[in-house]
Amino acid sequence: MLPTGAKDTQLRESNSQKVHPQPMEEAMNQNPEAMETLISKIFTNISSLKSAYIQLQSAHTPYDPDKIQNADKLVISELKTLSELKHFYRENNPKPVCVSPQDSRLAAEIQEQQSLLKTYEVMVKKFQSEIQNKDSEIHQLQQQIEEASQKRAKLEKNLKLRGLSTKESENENGFFPVDLTPDLFTSSVDAAAKAIHDFSKPLINMMKAAGWDLDAAANSIEPDVIYAKRAHKKYAFESYICQRMFSGFEQESFSVNSENITVTKESFFHQFLALREMDPLDMLGQNPDSIFGKFCRSKYLVVVHPKMEASFFGNLDQRNYVMGGGHPRTPFYQAFLKLAKSIWLLHRLAYSFEPNVKVFQVKGGSEFSDVYMESVVKNLIMEDNDEKPKVGLMVMPGFWIGGSVIQSKVYLSGMKVAE
Protein backbone atom coordinates (compact mmCIF):
# COMPACT_ATOMS: atom_id res chain seq x y z
CA MET A 1 0.00 0.00 0.00
CA LEU A 2 1.44 3.34 -1.10
CA PRO A 3 1.54 6.43 1.01
CA THR A 4 -1.04 9.11 0.35
CA GLY A 5 1.46 11.49 -1.24
CA ALA A 6 2.75 8.79 -3.62
CA LYS A 7 -0.80 7.97 -4.68
CA ASP A 8 -1.55 11.61 -5.56
CA THR A 9 1.66 11.87 -7.58
CA GLN A 10 0.82 8.72 -9.56
CA LEU A 11 -2.75 9.94 -10.19
CA ARG A 12 -1.54 13.31 -11.50
CA GLU A 13 0.96 11.59 -13.85
CA SER A 14 -1.78 9.28 -15.06
CA ASN A 15 -4.22 12.16 -15.71
CA SER A 16 -1.60 14.19 -17.58
CA GLN A 17 -1.34 11.48 -20.26
CA LYS A 18 -3.96 11.96 -23.10
CA VAL A 19 -5.64 8.95 -24.61
CA HIS A 20 -6.42 9.12 -28.39
CA PRO A 21 -8.11 6.86 -30.88
CA GLN A 22 -5.81 5.31 -33.45
CA PRO A 23 -3.79 8.25 -35.04
CA MET A 24 -4.02 8.89 -38.80
CA GLU A 25 -0.31 8.30 -39.20
CA GLU A 26 -0.70 4.80 -37.74
CA ALA A 27 -3.76 4.17 -39.95
CA MET A 28 -1.83 5.27 -43.01
CA ASN A 29 1.16 3.20 -41.97
CA GLN A 30 -1.08 0.17 -41.62
CA ASN A 31 -2.10 0.34 -45.32
CA PRO A 32 0.17 2.88 -47.08
CA GLU A 33 -0.40 1.39 -50.56
CA ALA A 34 -4.18 1.97 -50.36
CA MET A 35 -3.65 5.60 -49.31
CA GLU A 36 -1.14 6.22 -52.13
CA THR A 37 -3.59 4.72 -54.58
CA LEU A 38 -6.38 6.99 -53.29
CA ILE A 39 -4.21 10.12 -53.54
CA SER A 40 -3.06 9.12 -57.02
CA LYS A 41 -6.68 8.71 -58.08
CA ILE A 42 -7.54 12.14 -56.68
CA PHE A 43 -4.79 13.89 -58.62
CA THR A 44 -5.61 11.94 -61.78
CA ASN A 45 -9.25 12.91 -61.39
CA ILE A 46 -8.34 16.60 -60.89
CA SER A 47 -6.21 16.50 -64.05
CA SER A 48 -9.07 14.94 -65.98
CA LEU A 49 -11.45 17.56 -64.59
CA LYS A 50 -9.12 20.37 -65.74
CA SER A 51 -8.92 18.80 -69.18
CA ALA A 52 -12.71 18.48 -69.41
CA TYR A 53 -13.12 22.09 -68.29
CA ILE A 54 -10.71 23.27 -71.01
CA GLN A 55 -12.70 21.27 -73.58
CA LEU A 56 -15.90 22.94 -72.34
CA GLN A 57 -14.34 26.38 -72.77
CA SER A 58 -12.96 25.68 -76.25
CA ALA A 59 -16.36 24.36 -77.39
CA HIS A 60 -17.79 27.89 -76.96
CA THR A 61 -15.40 29.45 -79.52
CA PRO A 62 -16.62 28.78 -82.11
CA TYR A 63 -19.97 27.80 -80.61
CA ASP A 64 -20.55 24.05 -81.11
CA PRO A 65 -23.62 22.64 -79.31
CA ASP A 66 -22.56 19.01 -79.76
CA LYS A 67 -19.05 19.57 -78.40
CA ILE A 68 -20.43 21.62 -75.50
CA GLN A 69 -22.87 18.86 -74.57
CA ASN A 70 -20.15 16.18 -74.68
CA ALA A 71 -17.71 18.31 -72.66
CA ASP A 72 -20.45 19.12 -70.14
CA LYS A 73 -21.17 15.42 -69.63
CA LEU A 74 -17.43 14.76 -69.17
CA VAL A 75 -17.10 17.52 -66.52
CA ILE A 76 -20.10 16.19 -64.61
CA SER A 77 -18.71 12.66 -64.78
CA GLU A 78 -15.35 13.77 -63.35
CA LEU A 79 -17.10 15.76 -60.60
CA LYS A 80 -19.09 12.67 -59.62
CA THR A 81 -15.91 10.58 -59.54
CA LEU A 82 -14.20 13.16 -57.32
CA SER A 83 -17.21 13.21 -55.00
CA GLU A 84 -17.14 9.41 -54.75
CA LEU A 85 -13.42 9.50 -53.81
CA LYS A 86 -14.16 12.10 -51.13
CA HIS A 87 -16.92 9.96 -49.58
CA PHE A 88 -14.72 6.85 -49.78
CA TYR A 89 -11.95 8.63 -47.91
CA ARG A 90 -14.28 9.92 -45.18
CA GLU A 91 -15.86 6.49 -44.64
CA ASN A 92 -12.53 4.69 -44.31
CA ASN A 93 -10.58 7.40 -42.45
CA PRO A 94 -12.55 8.98 -39.58
CA LYS A 95 -11.33 12.34 -38.35
CA PRO A 96 -8.56 11.87 -35.77
CA VAL A 97 -8.40 13.66 -32.48
CA CYS A 98 -4.72 14.38 -33.02
CA VAL A 99 -3.52 15.36 -36.46
CA SER A 100 0.07 14.90 -37.51
CA PRO A 101 1.90 17.43 -39.79
CA GLN A 102 1.66 14.95 -42.64
CA ASP A 103 -2.10 14.73 -42.14
CA SER A 104 -2.35 18.54 -42.07
CA ARG A 105 -0.70 18.80 -45.48
CA LEU A 106 -3.10 16.21 -46.88
CA ALA A 107 -6.08 17.99 -45.37
CA ALA A 108 -4.89 21.30 -46.83
CA GLU A 109 -4.55 19.75 -50.27
CA ILE A 110 -8.02 18.24 -50.00
CA GLN A 111 -9.46 21.59 -48.93
CA GLU A 112 -7.74 23.28 -51.87
CA GLN A 113 -9.15 20.72 -54.28
CA GLN A 114 -12.61 21.13 -52.75
CA SER A 115 -12.41 24.89 -53.30
CA LEU A 116 -11.32 24.27 -56.87
CA LEU A 117 -14.19 21.83 -57.24
CA LYS A 118 -16.67 24.49 -56.10
CA THR A 119 -15.22 26.90 -58.67
CA TYR A 120 -15.68 24.32 -61.40
CA GLU A 121 -19.24 23.68 -60.26
CA VAL A 122 -20.04 27.40 -60.52
CA MET A 123 -18.51 27.61 -63.99
CA VAL A 124 -20.36 24.50 -65.12
CA LYS A 125 -23.67 26.02 -63.98
CA LYS A 126 -22.79 29.20 -65.85
CA PHE A 127 -22.02 27.27 -69.03
CA GLN A 128 -25.19 25.23 -68.65
CA SER A 129 -27.17 28.48 -68.45
CA GLU A 130 -25.43 29.76 -71.60
CA ILE A 131 -26.17 26.48 -73.35
CA GLN A 132 -29.85 26.81 -72.49
CA ASN A 133 -29.87 30.37 -73.91
CA LYS A 134 -28.12 29.21 -77.07
CA ASP A 135 -30.54 26.32 -77.41
CA SER A 136 -33.41 28.82 -77.17
CA GLU A 137 -31.82 30.99 -79.88
CA ILE A 138 -31.28 27.94 -82.08
CA HIS A 139 -34.92 26.97 -81.62
CA GLN A 140 -36.07 30.45 -82.68
CA LEU A 141 -33.78 30.38 -85.73
CA GLN A 142 -35.09 26.95 -86.67
CA GLN A 143 -38.64 28.33 -86.53
CA GLN A 144 -37.62 31.26 -88.78
CA ILE A 145 -35.99 28.85 -91.23
CA GLU A 146 -39.12 26.72 -91.26
CA GLU A 147 -41.32 29.78 -91.93
CA ALA A 148 -38.98 30.92 -94.72
CA SER A 149 -39.05 27.42 -96.23
CA GLN A 150 -42.85 27.47 -96.21
CA LYS A 151 -42.87 30.85 -97.96
CA ARG A 152 -40.35 29.61 -100.50
CA ALA A 153 -42.43 26.49 -101.17
CA LYS A 154 -45.51 28.67 -101.69
CA LEU A 155 -43.60 30.94 -104.06
CA GLU A 156 -42.21 27.97 -106.01
CA LYS A 157 -45.75 26.63 -106.36
CA ASN A 158 -46.93 29.98 -107.74
CA LEU A 159 -44.02 30.10 -110.17
CA LYS A 160 -44.69 26.57 -111.39
CA LEU A 161 -48.32 27.50 -112.03
CA ARG A 162 -47.00 30.25 -114.31
CA GLY A 163 -44.51 27.99 -116.03
CA LEU A 164 -41.45 29.37 -114.18
CA SER A 165 -38.93 27.26 -112.30
CA THR A 166 -37.10 28.47 -109.20
CA LYS A 167 -33.73 28.21 -110.93
CA GLU A 168 -34.91 30.19 -113.94
CA SER A 169 -36.55 32.89 -111.85
CA GLU A 170 -33.42 33.89 -109.94
CA ASN A 171 -31.56 36.71 -111.67
CA GLU A 172 -27.80 37.13 -111.81
CA ASN A 173 -27.82 39.56 -108.87
CA GLY A 174 -29.27 36.93 -106.55
CA PHE A 175 -32.61 38.71 -105.97
CA PHE A 176 -35.44 36.32 -105.39
CA PRO A 177 -38.52 37.25 -107.39
CA VAL A 178 -41.73 38.69 -106.06
CA ASP A 179 -45.14 37.23 -106.80
CA LEU A 180 -46.47 38.07 -110.25
CA THR A 181 -49.80 39.54 -109.17
CA PRO A 182 -52.15 42.35 -110.26
CA ASP A 183 -51.11 44.25 -107.13
CA LEU A 184 -47.51 44.24 -108.35
CA PHE A 185 -48.61 45.70 -111.67
CA THR A 186 -50.79 48.34 -109.97
CA SER A 187 -47.86 49.48 -107.83
CA SER A 188 -45.70 49.67 -110.97
CA VAL A 189 -48.35 51.86 -112.66
CA ASP A 190 -48.25 54.21 -109.66
CA ALA A 191 -44.45 54.30 -109.82
CA ALA A 192 -44.56 55.16 -113.54
CA ALA A 193 -47.06 58.00 -112.94
CA LYS A 194 -44.84 59.40 -110.20
CA ALA A 195 -41.78 59.17 -112.47
CA ILE A 196 -43.57 61.22 -115.16
CA HIS A 197 -44.51 63.84 -112.56
CA ASP A 198 -40.97 63.91 -111.12
CA PHE A 199 -39.29 64.37 -114.53
CA SER A 200 -41.72 67.14 -115.52
CA LYS A 201 -40.44 69.31 -112.65
CA PRO A 202 -36.82 69.76 -113.85
CA LEU A 203 -38.07 70.01 -117.44
CA ILE A 204 -40.40 72.92 -116.56
CA ASN A 205 -37.74 74.59 -114.39
CA MET A 206 -35.16 74.41 -117.17
CA MET A 207 -37.67 75.83 -119.65
CA LYS A 208 -38.32 78.70 -117.25
CA ALA A 209 -34.60 79.33 -116.82
CA ALA A 210 -34.12 79.27 -120.60
CA GLY A 211 -36.82 81.94 -121.06
CA TRP A 212 -39.56 79.80 -122.54
CA ASP A 213 -43.15 81.08 -122.58
CA LEU A 214 -44.76 78.29 -120.55
CA ASP A 215 -48.33 79.37 -121.36
CA ALA A 216 -47.61 79.22 -125.09
CA ALA A 217 -45.78 75.92 -124.70
CA ALA A 218 -48.74 74.39 -122.79
CA ASN A 219 -51.22 75.63 -125.39
CA SER A 220 -49.10 74.19 -128.20
CA ILE A 221 -49.37 70.73 -126.59
CA GLU A 222 -53.19 70.82 -126.40
CA PRO A 223 -54.68 74.17 -127.58
CA ASP A 224 -58.34 73.64 -126.63
CA VAL A 225 -57.94 72.93 -122.92
CA ILE A 226 -59.53 75.37 -120.47
CA TYR A 227 -57.58 75.26 -117.20
CA ALA A 228 -59.23 75.98 -113.85
CA LYS A 229 -55.94 77.42 -112.59
CA ARG A 230 -52.80 78.59 -114.31
CA ALA A 231 -50.82 76.20 -112.14
CA HIS A 232 -52.74 73.31 -113.73
CA LYS A 233 -50.86 73.87 -116.99
CA LYS A 234 -48.18 71.62 -115.51
CA TYR A 235 -50.45 68.72 -116.52
CA ALA A 236 -49.91 69.68 -120.18
CA PHE A 237 -46.20 68.90 -119.81
CA GLU A 238 -46.93 65.66 -117.96
CA SER A 239 -49.27 64.71 -120.81
CA TYR A 240 -46.53 65.58 -123.34
CA ILE A 241 -44.06 63.27 -121.56
CA CYS A 242 -46.67 60.51 -121.13
CA GLN A 243 -47.71 60.47 -124.81
CA ARG A 244 -44.14 60.07 -126.00
CA MET A 245 -42.99 57.58 -123.38
CA PHE A 246 -45.99 55.26 -123.89
CA SER A 247 -45.86 55.40 -127.69
CA GLY A 248 -45.44 51.79 -128.87
CA PHE A 249 -46.36 50.32 -125.46
CA GLU A 250 -48.98 48.08 -127.07
CA GLN A 251 -46.26 46.40 -129.13
CA GLU A 252 -44.34 43.49 -127.70
CA SER A 253 -41.06 45.04 -128.87
CA PHE A 254 -41.99 48.51 -127.52
CA SER A 255 -40.83 49.81 -130.94
CA VAL A 256 -37.24 48.70 -130.21
CA ASN A 257 -35.49 46.74 -132.94
CA SER A 258 -33.92 43.62 -131.43
CA GLU A 259 -32.47 40.66 -133.31
CA ASN A 260 -32.05 37.06 -132.15
CA ILE A 261 -33.87 37.65 -128.85
CA THR A 262 -36.25 34.98 -127.63
CA VAL A 263 -39.52 36.56 -126.54
CA THR A 264 -41.31 34.53 -123.85
CA LYS A 265 -43.29 35.26 -120.72
CA GLU A 266 -40.32 34.10 -118.68
CA SER A 267 -37.87 36.37 -120.48
CA PHE A 268 -40.06 39.44 -119.90
CA PHE A 269 -40.31 38.65 -116.21
CA HIS A 270 -36.56 37.98 -115.97
CA GLN A 271 -35.85 41.38 -117.53
CA PHE A 272 -38.19 43.00 -115.00
CA LEU A 273 -36.41 41.29 -112.10
CA ALA A 274 -32.93 42.04 -113.45
CA LEU A 275 -33.49 45.81 -113.70
CA ARG A 276 -35.88 46.26 -110.79
CA GLU A 277 -33.24 46.75 -108.07
CA MET A 278 -30.47 48.20 -110.24
CA ASP A 279 -29.44 51.75 -110.97
CA PRO A 280 -30.28 52.25 -114.68
CA LEU A 281 -26.95 53.97 -115.36
CA ASP A 282 -25.09 50.99 -113.87
CA MET A 283 -27.09 48.65 -116.06
CA LEU A 284 -26.26 50.72 -119.16
CA GLY A 285 -22.61 50.86 -118.12
CA GLN A 286 -22.52 47.05 -118.29
CA ASN A 287 -24.33 46.83 -121.61
CA PRO A 288 -24.97 50.19 -123.33
CA ASP A 289 -26.36 48.54 -126.48
CA SER A 290 -28.90 46.33 -124.71
CA ILE A 291 -32.56 46.60 -125.70
CA PHE A 292 -33.04 48.76 -122.61
CA GLY A 293 -30.18 50.98 -123.76
CA LYS A 294 -31.75 51.31 -127.21
CA PHE A 295 -35.10 52.13 -125.61
CA CYS A 296 -33.56 54.91 -123.48
CA ARG A 297 -31.81 56.48 -126.45
CA SER A 298 -34.88 56.45 -128.70
CA LYS A 299 -37.18 57.88 -126.01
CA TYR A 300 -34.75 60.62 -124.99
CA LEU A 301 -34.55 61.84 -128.58
CA VAL A 302 -38.36 62.13 -128.87
CA VAL A 303 -39.04 63.56 -125.38
CA VAL A 304 -36.28 66.19 -125.37
CA HIS A 305 -36.69 68.27 -128.56
CA PRO A 306 -33.47 69.67 -130.13
CA LYS A 307 -34.72 73.23 -129.52
CA MET A 308 -35.25 72.38 -125.83
CA GLU A 309 -31.78 70.94 -125.41
CA ALA A 310 -30.10 73.81 -127.26
CA SER A 311 -31.89 76.32 -125.02
CA PHE A 312 -31.01 74.32 -121.88
CA PHE A 313 -27.30 73.72 -122.53
CA GLY A 314 -26.39 76.11 -125.35
CA ASN A 315 -25.42 73.22 -127.63
CA LEU A 316 -26.48 69.74 -128.78
CA ASP A 317 -23.44 67.87 -127.45
CA GLN A 318 -25.49 65.64 -125.15
CA ARG A 319 -27.94 64.81 -127.93
CA ASN A 320 -25.14 63.98 -130.33
CA TYR A 321 -23.53 61.77 -127.68
CA VAL A 322 -26.79 59.85 -127.24
CA MET A 323 -27.28 59.52 -131.00
CA GLY A 324 -23.75 58.11 -131.19
CA GLY A 325 -24.71 55.25 -128.85
CA GLY A 326 -23.61 56.74 -125.54
CA HIS A 327 -25.34 57.39 -122.24
CA PRO A 328 -24.01 60.61 -120.65
CA ARG A 329 -23.59 60.82 -116.90
CA THR A 330 -25.16 64.27 -116.66
CA PRO A 331 -27.76 65.01 -113.95
CA PHE A 332 -30.44 65.73 -116.56
CA TYR A 333 -29.89 62.45 -118.41
CA GLN A 334 -29.81 60.51 -115.15
CA ALA A 335 -33.17 62.07 -114.19
CA PHE A 336 -34.52 60.93 -117.56
CA LEU A 337 -33.18 57.40 -117.01
CA LYS A 338 -35.29 57.06 -113.85
CA LEU A 339 -38.35 57.87 -115.94
CA ALA A 340 -37.30 55.47 -118.71
CA LYS A 341 -36.66 52.67 -116.21
CA SER A 342 -40.15 52.95 -114.67
CA ILE A 343 -41.89 52.82 -118.09
CA TRP A 344 -39.67 49.96 -119.30
CA LEU A 345 -40.36 47.91 -116.15
CA LEU A 346 -44.09 48.47 -116.60
CA HIS A 347 -43.91 47.17 -120.17
CA ARG A 348 -41.82 44.11 -119.19
CA LEU A 349 -44.33 43.34 -116.44
CA ALA A 350 -47.37 43.82 -118.71
CA TYR A 351 -46.08 41.11 -121.06
CA SER A 352 -45.24 38.72 -118.21
CA PHE A 353 -48.93 38.04 -117.62
CA GLU A 354 -51.09 35.51 -119.46
CA PRO A 355 -52.98 37.04 -121.16
CA ASN A 356 -51.00 40.26 -121.64
CA VAL A 357 -52.05 43.43 -119.85
CA LYS A 358 -53.70 45.75 -122.37
CA VAL A 359 -53.16 49.51 -122.39
CA PHE A 360 -55.81 52.05 -123.40
CA GLN A 361 -55.52 55.78 -123.97
CA VAL A 362 -58.10 58.55 -123.76
CA LYS A 363 -58.26 61.27 -126.39
CA GLY A 364 -58.89 64.93 -125.65
CA GLY A 365 -62.57 65.87 -125.98
CA SER A 366 -63.85 62.44 -124.82
CA GLU A 367 -66.66 62.32 -122.28
CA PHE A 368 -65.51 61.56 -118.76
CA SER A 369 -66.29 58.05 -117.45
CA ASP A 370 -65.64 57.29 -113.80
CA VAL A 371 -65.32 53.60 -114.72
CA TYR A 372 -62.32 54.06 -117.00
CA MET A 373 -60.99 57.45 -115.87
CA GLU A 374 -59.82 59.25 -112.76
CA SER A 375 -59.45 63.02 -112.47
CA VAL A 376 -56.01 64.21 -111.36
CA VAL A 377 -57.74 67.21 -109.73
CA LYS A 378 -59.87 66.07 -106.79
CA ASN A 379 -61.75 69.18 -105.60
CA LEU A 380 -63.87 69.68 -108.74
CA ILE A 381 -67.29 71.33 -108.64
CA MET A 382 -69.76 69.20 -110.62
CA GLU A 383 -72.66 71.26 -111.98
CA ASP A 384 -76.18 69.86 -112.08
CA ASN A 385 -76.77 69.62 -115.81
CA ASP A 386 -76.94 66.93 -118.43
CA GLU A 387 -73.59 67.81 -119.99
CA LYS A 388 -70.82 65.45 -118.92
CA PRO A 389 -67.30 66.76 -118.25
CA LYS A 390 -64.87 66.54 -121.16
CA VAL A 391 -61.32 65.23 -121.07
CA GLY A 392 -58.75 67.94 -121.75
CA LEU A 393 -55.54 65.91 -121.26
CA MET A 394 -54.56 62.31 -120.59
CA VAL A 395 -51.83 62.36 -117.96
CA MET A 396 -51.51 58.56 -117.59
CA PRO A 397 -53.05 55.76 -119.71
CA GLY A 398 -55.31 53.06 -118.28
CA PHE A 399 -54.92 49.27 -118.33
CA TRP A 400 -56.99 46.10 -118.53
CA ILE A 401 -55.52 43.32 -116.41
CA GLY A 402 -57.59 40.16 -116.42
CA GLY A 403 -61.14 41.27 -115.73
CA SER A 404 -60.12 44.43 -113.87
CA VAL A 405 -59.58 48.02 -115.00
CA ILE A 406 -56.83 50.36 -113.83
CA GLN A 407 -58.24 53.82 -114.52
CA SER A 408 -56.58 56.33 -116.81
CA LYS A 409 -55.60 59.62 -115.16
CA VAL A 410 -57.05 62.66 -116.97
CA TYR A 411 -57.36 66.42 -116.62
CA LEU A 412 -60.91 67.66 -117.22
CA SER A 413 -61.33 70.84 -119.26
CA GLY A 414 -63.58 73.76 -118.29
CA MET A 415 -64.19 72.63 -114.71
CA LYS A 416 -64.25 74.73 -111.56
CA VAL A 417 -62.46 73.79 -108.41
CA ALA A 418 -63.42 74.45 -104.82
CA GLU A 419 -61.13 76.92 -103.07
Side-chain angles (χ1 to χ4, degrees):
M1 186 171 182
L2 294 172
T4 305
K7 286 183 179 180
D8 294 339
T9 302
Q10 186 180 20
L11 182 61
R12 282 196 300 270
E13 288 176 355
S14 176
N15 289 338
S16 65
Q17 295 177 359
K18 295 182 179 179
V19 179
H20 303 285
Q22 187 182 35
M24 180 182 288
E25 184 177 355
E26 294 180 11
M28 290 175 62
N29 290 335
Q30 287 180 3
N31 194 356
E33 292 181 358
M35 184 57 66
E36 287 179 4
T37 301
L38 176 63
I39 293 173
S40 177
K41 286 183 179 180
I42 290 174
F43 284 110
T44 301
N45 178 255
I46 293 297
S47 298
S48 300
L49 182 59
K50 288 181 179 179
S51 176
Y53 176 71
I54 291 171
Q55 291 181 39
L56 185 60
Q57 284 184 314
S58 63
H60 281 74
T61 309
Y63 184 80
D64 189 328
D66 293 334
K67 287 184 179 180
I68 289 175
Q69 190 174 13
N70 292 335
D72 184 53
K73 289 180 179 178
L74 187 58
V75 170
I76 292 172
S77 174
E78 296 298 339
L79 288 173
K80 287 181 178 178
T81 301
L82 189 58
S83 178
E84 291 170 0
L85 291 172
K86 180 176 69 175
H87 289 303
F88 175 80
Y89 175 78
R90 286 179 175 176
E91 290 172 0
N92 293 277
N93 296 276
K95 186 176 180 181
V97 176
C98 180
V99 180
S100 69
Q102 191 175 7
D103 296 333
S104 297
R105 287 194 301 271
L106 181 60
E109 287 186 17
I110 291 174
Q111 185 175 3
E112 181 183 354
Q113 297 301 334
Q114 286 176 337
S115 298
L116 185 62
L117 179 61
K118 289 180 180 178
T119 302
Y120 286 147
E121 288 175 346
V122 171
M123 293 304 297
V124 167
K125 288 180 180 179
K126 178 184 176 182
F127 285 135
Q128 285 175 335
S129 177
E130 290 180 1
I131 290 170
Q132 289 177 352
N133 292 335
K134 292 292 184 182
D135 288 340
S136 178
E137 290 178 11
I138 290 170
H139 181 67
Q140 291 177 357
L141 290 173
Q142 286 175 337
Q143 285 183 328
Q144 293 176 7
I145 291 171
E146 186 177 352
E147 291 174 2
S149 298
Q150 290 175 353
K151 290 180 181 179
R152 181 185 176 94
K154 182 180 178 181
L155 180 57
E156 287 177 349
K157 183 179 179 181
N158 291 338
L159 292 172
K160 286 177 181 178
L161 291 174
R162 298 181 180 94
L164 293 170
S165 68
T166 306
K167 184 177 180 180
E168 290 173 340
S169 59
E170 292 179 356
N171 63 49
E172 66 261 19
N173 294 312
F175 296 114
F176 202 75
V178 295
D179 283 332
L180 183 62
T181 63
D183 287 341
L184 176 63
F185 187 80
T186 300
S187 64
S188 297
V189 170
D190 294 338
K194 183 178 183 301
I196 291 172
H197 174 73
D198 291 346
F199 182 70
S200 70
K201 289 182 178 180
L203 188 70
I204 293 171
N205 289 336
M206 293 182 78
M207 291 177 73
K208 268 186 189 177
W212 281 66
D213 184 340
L214 296 181
D215 293 330
N219 291 334
S220 68
I221 294 171
E222 194 65 53
D224 299 327
V225 180
I226 301 173
Y227 298 94
K229 292 182 176 181
R230 186 170 182 267
H232 289 179
K233 290 188 177 182
K234 65 180 182 180
Y235 294 116
F237 298 99
E238 292 187 24
S239 177
Y240 168 85
I241 296 169
C242 171
Q243 295 283 0
R244 282 153 182 77
M245 291 303 297
F246 276 93
S247 177
F249 189 93
E250 69 282 356
Q251 299 174 18
E252 201 170 54
S253 65
F254 211 160
S255 301
V256 179
N257 294 326
S258 55
E259 298 177 358
N260 301 323
I261 294 180
T262 304
V263 180
T264 63
K265 299 295 179 187
E266 292 87 345
S267 66
F268 276 109
F269 196 49
H270 291 173
Q271 290 174 42
F272 171 82
L273 294 172
L275 181 58
R276 185 169 180 258
E277 301 295 338
M278 284 194 71
D279 183 286
L281 196 59
D282 291 340
M283 175 69 85
L284 295 175
Q286 295 175 11
N287 190 358
D289 293 320
S290 63
I291 53 174
F292 175 61
K294 293 177 181 178
F295 170 79
C296 293
R297 281 198 292 264
S298 65
K299 290 300 181 182
Y300 177 83
L301 296 175
V302 297
V303 170
V304 184
H305 193 275
K307 289 184 179 179
M308 279 187 180
E309 187 170 319
S311 67
F312 295 164
F313 309 115
N315 55 59
L316 296 176
D317 291 351
Q318 184 165 275
R319 187 178 193 83
N320 293 332
Y321 187 74
V322 173
M323 291 176 67
H327 297 283
R329 292 183 172 270
T330 62
F332 184 71
Y333 192 74
Q334 289 186 53
F336 170 77
L337 287 181
K338 291 180 181 178
L339 166 66
K341 173 187 171 180
S342 66
I343 306 299
W344 180 257
L345 287 177
L346 192 62
H347 182 269
R348 300 295 96 176
L349 199 55
Y351 281 86
S352 299
F353 286 87
E354 182 61 53
N356 302 334
V357 176
K358 300 296 183 182
V359 62
F360 66 87
Q361 302 194 29
V362 180
K363 294 181 179 180
S366 302
E367 288 187 351
F368 176 74
S369 167
D370 56 7
V371 176
Y372 296 101
M373 306 171 205
E374 176 187 6
S375 173
V376 290
V377 179
K378 303 303 179 185
N379 55 339
L380 294 175
I381 298 175
M382 306 297 289
E383 296 181 355
D384 295 332
N385 54 43
D386 294 335
E387 187 176 352
K388 291 186 178 180
K390 295 289 176 45
V391 174
L393 300 164
M394 183 193 72
V395 180
M396 184 72 185
F399 302 90
W400 284 293
I401 177 168
S404 303
V405 173
I406 298 176
Q407 294 170 309
S408 169
K409 299 183 188 300
V410 298
Y411 181 82
L412 299 179
S413 178
M415 300 295 294
K416 294 180 182 180
V417 294
E419 296 298 337

